[in-house]
Amino acid sequence: MSVSLVSNAYLDENSAKIRSKPVPWEGYQRADLVTSEELALIKKVDRQPRAKLESILVSDGQIYALLYLRLLKKLQRVDTMQCLLVLIADALLDHDERIPLFTRAAQSDPDLPYLPLLRTLEAQDEFVQLKSAQILTILLSSESTPLQHQHLQPFLKVLASLVQGQASNKREVAVQCLEALLARPDCRRAVWAIPGIIAGHVPLLVEILRQKPTPQMSYQVIFCLWLLTFEQDVAAQINQKFDIIHLLISVAQAAAKEKVIRVIVATFRACTFPLSRNLISKAPSANLPAMLVAQLLPFSKNLSARKFSDEDILEDVQFVRDELTRDFESLTTYDEYVSELASGHLSWTPVHESDEFWRENASRLNEKDYEQLKILIRLLNTEDSLVLAVAVHDLGQYVKHYERGKKVITDLGAKALAMELMTHPNPDVRYHALVSVQRLVSHPWITA
């Protein structure tokens, strides 16, 4: 993996400044922190032009990989750590074949290469922290064996804190690090297990998209989400937990860059067969209802009529369109209503105000121990005023068209919820709650 895959202007500009800064290597030797042999080696590369560094690394690459890591392990002054991190990154720049020189350092010292780099992540200096993250990403993502817990977990927790922060440099580098790491199945599973990275109470990956970031940041965040959906469990749960289908469609509708649309559609469709992984093919039952309600089929039809410079986009769009057409064409009106309930995104579609629909289907909400009715009742606790208004309206329709509905609703605790909504700040919610409560009160009890 190339160093350039994790980069930003802040790292590049500061690296250039640090290359010309003097470091008191002789002082370290006088303090017995650096041996005379280490001093001689480091002076050969200190503030030298790239051509000379390259010639030294060609012949003595392993010696210098060990030197940089050993010095980083024992020297903790900020300017010295900055210098050593730049030397490591420069050695790796455009030279992926040198990565094993650093990962093999464990054969000489089990603390290397990761312990010093993980320690520098805790530094108060922003450059040291981000440069360490860059190097750790390169080394970890290149490992040929499963990553060790003591190396991966501390790093992921730091990345979570960087994503949470408001500093643009930290967030940008952290998202790029995740992009690289999530290509590994062990990293995907580990990231999914850390709630702080995906979503939470402060702006994180999903929340970044809701804040309408730059096209590049949108692309990088969605790329992370796409990689995560390679895991079956993630594909089945990610929309349930974080409502990303509606979000991705809204981002795609506003996207000016083709690559943003491409990665969104790729999240919906399979990757190359036989590694079929996406929200449709990996977990259709979990995601198709939300795709139906979010109007992904009409949107995919609109996309298929557009002209794209990237032919892969059109191929993916056509796949999504054809899959959804096949899956949706056999749905009944009640199936569509159940899908809307499952998505949690109720809106004033025709079924809600259709007496014919409710006469035919009200009793079906009782099936499987009132499964669908219980979902409807749970929606009375949402914060979305539109969903609240539609849900409490449907409750009234259920009572109106199912003769035993009043007792069922009362037994399930929904009557009290409906009455609370009569004082809701939103006038539509108040109105529909009032109508439903009137039906609950006026309809006769049938308990048999």
Side-chain angles (χ1 to χ4, degrees):
M1 179 205 151
S2 172
V3 172
S4 61
L5 291 180
V6 180
S7 64
N8 76 346
Y10 170 80
L11 285 180
D12 294 341
E13 291 168 7
N14 281 276
S15 293
K17 295 175 184 176
I18 289 164
R19 289 187 189 100
S20 61
K21 282 185 178 180
V23 174
W25 298 115
E26 291 85 354
Y28 285 130
Q29 199 242 340
R30 288 192 296 271
D32 291 330
L33 294 173
V34 170
T35 67
S36 56
E37 292 80 6
E38 289 171 335
L39 177 63
L41 287 170
I42 198 69
K43 291 297 286 183
K44 285 184 181 179
V45 297
D46 186 35
R47 290 180 290 169
Q48 296 300 313
R50 182 166 178 80
K52 183 172 182 181
L53 290 175
E54 284 298 310
S55 66
I56 293 172
L57 291 172
V58 167
S59 57
D60 295 322
Q62 187 66 76
I63 292 171
Y64 276 90
L66 283 169
L67 173 69
Y68 297 158
L69 291 169
R70 284 171 176 161
L71 293 177
L72 191 62
K73 180 180 176 180
K74 61 185 177 180
L75 303 177
Q76 298 184 24
R77 219 173 89 163
V78 169
D79 60 343
T80 307
M81 290 191 292
Q82 290 176 340
C83 174
L84 290 167
L85 290 170
V86 169
L87 286 169
I88 293 171
D90 286 351
L92 295 171
L93 183 62
D94 299 327
H95 285 283
D96 289 359
E97 77 281 0
R98 290 179 185 158
I99 294 174
L101 300 181
F102 291 88
T103 55
R104 283 200 304 260
Q107 297 171 4
S108 301
D109 181 346
D111 287 344
L112 303 181
Y114 295 113
L115 186 65
L117 290 166
L118 290 169
R119 178 178 55 78
T120 55
L121 278 178
E122 300 171 3
Q124 296 301 307
D125 182 76
E126 182 175 352
F127 178 85
V128 169
Q129 191 177 42
L130 297 186
K131 200 68 176 175
S132 301
Q134 179 190 52
I135 295 167
L136 276 165
T137 300
I138 297 164
L139 300 183
L140 288 170
S141 61
S142 302
E143 289 279 8
S144 58
T145 57
L147 301 179
Q148 295 183 36
H149 181 275
Q150 68 267 30
H151 298 152
L152 180 59
Q153 287 298 322
F155 185 34
L156 290 180
K157 287 179 180 177
V158 170
L159 291 182
S161 69
L162 296 178
V163 173
Q164 289 177 16
Q166 294 301 315
S168 59
N169 291 327
K170 292 184 177 182
R171 181 175 284 187
E172 182 179 323
V173 170
V175 170
Q176 290 181 51
C177 290
L178 286 172
E179 272 190 276
L181 291 170
L182 288 171
R184 299 180 60 100
D186 51 351
C187 288
R188 292 197 292 268
R189 291 188 289 270
V191 166
W192 183 246
I194 300 177
I197 291 181
I198 308 304
H201 299 297
V202 292
L204 304 174
L205 278 187
V206 174
E207 279 73 12
I208 290 173
L209 286 182
R210 294 196 175 108
Q211 295 171 356
K212 299 180 180 179
T214 64
Q216 180 62 21
M217 179 58 77
S218 293
Y219 173 79
Q220 291 171 333
V221 168
I222 298 166
F223 195 89
C224 290
L225 297 175
W226 172 65
L227 289 171
L228 280 166
T229 63
F230 278 46
E231 299 299 314
Q232 177 77 48
D233 290 349
V234 177
Q237 297 174 32
I238 192 166
N239 186 68
Q240 234 174 24
K241 289 187 174 183
F242 307 123
D243 197 22
I244 68 163
I245 290 173
H246 269 78
L247 178 59
L248 292 179
I249 291 174
S250 67
V251 173
Q253 288 171 332
K257 298 288 186 180
E258 277 193 10
K259 67 179 184 178
V260 176
I261 297 174
R262 181 177 68 239
V263 73
I264 289 173
V265 177
T267 305
F268 293 141
R269 77 147 292 171
C271 297
T272 307
F273 182 84
L275 297 177
S276 181
R277 292 178 168 89
N278 73 2
L279 297 179
I280 294 176
S281 59
K282 283 297 255 186
S285 62
N287 296 301
L288 285 173
M291 292 177 177
L292 171 67
V293 175
Q295 299 292 301
L296 179 56
L297 180 56
F299 181 59
S300 64
K301 288 178 178 178
N302 289 339
L303 285 179
S304 65
R306 286 174 54 176
K307 290 185 178 180
F308 295 102
S309 60
D310 185 345
E311 294 181 1
D312 290 341
I313 298 180
L314 189 56
E315 181 184 340
D316 286 352
V317 167
Q318 289 170 343
F319 172 89
V320 172
R321 180 199 63 195
D322 295 345
E323 285 291 305
L324 294 180
T325 299
R326 187 190 67 194
D327 287 320
F328 292 165
E329 64 185 3
S330 61
L331 292 179
T332 65
T333 306
Y334 181 71
D335 292 331
E336 293 182 9
Y337 179 73
V338 169
S339 294
E340 194 175 353
L341 284 179
S343 76
H345 288 277
L346 301 187
S347 60
W348 291 113
T349 51
V351 296
H352 299 284
E353 298 180 281
S354 167
D355 282 342
E356 180 183 358
F357 170 82
W358 285 103
R359 276 195 302 271
E360 294 176 357
N361 295 292
S363 63
R364 297 190 65 182
L365 270 64
N366 304 333
E367 295 171 358
K368 298 182 180 179
D369 190 28
Y370 304 100
E371 180 181 13
Q372 299 307 319
L373 183 60
K374 288 175 181 176
I375 294 174
L376 177 61
I377 291 170
R378 282 200 296 272
L379 293 176
L380 296 177
N381 290 306
T382 186
E383 295 181 1
D384 188 312
S385 296
L386 174 60
V387 175
L388 279 175
V390 178
V392 76
H393 165 272
D394 286 3
L395 206 67
Q397 291 283 61
Y398 171 79
V399 171
K400 177 181 176 182
H401 293 281
Y402 177 59
E403 59 183 6
R404 296 177 178 83
K406 181 175 181 179
K407 182 179 187 307
V408 174
I409 290 298
T410 303
D411 290 347
L412 292 176
K415 180 179 177 181
L417 292 173
M419 293 180 73
E420 288 177 14
L421 293 177
M422 292 171 62
T423 59
H424 192 275
N426 183 279
D428 287 337
V429 175
R430 290 199 303 271
Y431 169 75
H432 291 289
L434 175 62
V435 172
S436 293
V437 169
Q438 286 175 338
R439 286 174 177 165
L440 278 164
V441 172
S442 63
H443 275 238
W445 281 82
I446 298 179
T447 60

